[in-house]
Each structure stands twice: as C-alpha cells, then as structure tokens.
Amino acid sequence: MANQQFKDCIDACVACAVACSYCATECLKEENPKNLAKCIQLDLECAAICRSAAEVMSLGSQFSAHLCRVCADACIACAQECEQHAQMGMDHCHECAEACRHCADICEEMATSV
C-alpha cells in the first residue's frame, strides 16, 4: 500500500462501513423498520462516507484529513443513534455502534495528525 500511514484508519473505515451496511440490513428485517428509519439512514450515510474516506486515503490525497473529520462526525452520529437501539437488545446496533466509535477515534486522530 502506497500510504502505510493511513492503513489503520483505512482498515477502521472499511470495518465500519461493513458494520453499518449490516446494521441497516438487519434493521430492515426488524418487526417495525419504520421506527428505525433514522438509524437506517445514518447507517447508509456513515457506510458511504467511510468507504469514501478509505478510498481517498488510499490515494494519499491532500484531502484525507478533511474527509477523516467528516467521517468521524458521521460515525459519532451513527453510534449515538445505534446505541439507543442497542439498549433495546438489538445486537446489530450494538456492533455497529462499537465499530463507529472505534472508527471515529481513529479518524479524529488522523484528522489532527495529517
């Protein structure tokens, strides 16, 4: 990989995107997915931003830090929403919130160090 400095952040972003996509899919399978519309929307947005951040970092872009900042913000918002549903026993939301928190931490670090 051309930009080894980004490796941990790229890995966290990819893992978060997968967790968010899985969470959105599982939310749609819940008894009343309409009540999970905000969660699903944030999952999809966060996954898209995480994939974009990973792609931009893999290019060694001068915009990596900026996108990492946006990614951290999206991850925090998604984690906050998922944590509410995790308290109601939705394991997929719990897993998503954990992945989002981890990604947010690493993206915040990357945004300030680049």
Side-chain angles (χ1 to χ4, degrees), residues 11-83:
D11 290 346
C13 286
V14 170
C16 188
V18 169
C20 288
S21 294
Y22 176 73
C23 187
T25 300
E26 291 303 304
C27 282
L28 288 169
K29 295 176 185 175
E30 292 289 339
E31 189 174 313
N32 195 351
K34 229 176 190 177
N35 291 338
L36 299 168
K38 183 177 179 183
C39 187
I40 295 166
Q41 182 69 33
L42 283 170
D43 284 338
L44 296 173
E45 290 176 9
C46 189
I49 292 168
C50 285
R51 285 190 301 271
S52 296
E55 181 70 18
V56 168
M57 283 184 282
S58 75
L59 299 171
S61 173
Q62 64 183 341
F63 302 107
S64 293
H66 298 296
L67 198 48
C68 284
R69 163 62 38 222
V70 173
C71 189
D73 291 345
C75 287
I76 290 167
C78 191
Q80 289 172 342
E81 181 66 22
C82 281
E83 285 165 350

Side-chain angles (χ1 to χ4, degrees), residues 92-105:
H92 52 88
C93 283
H94 175 73
E95 293 169 15
C96 184
E98 283 187 350
C100 285
R101 290 281 179 204
H102 176 69
C103 187
D105 289 346

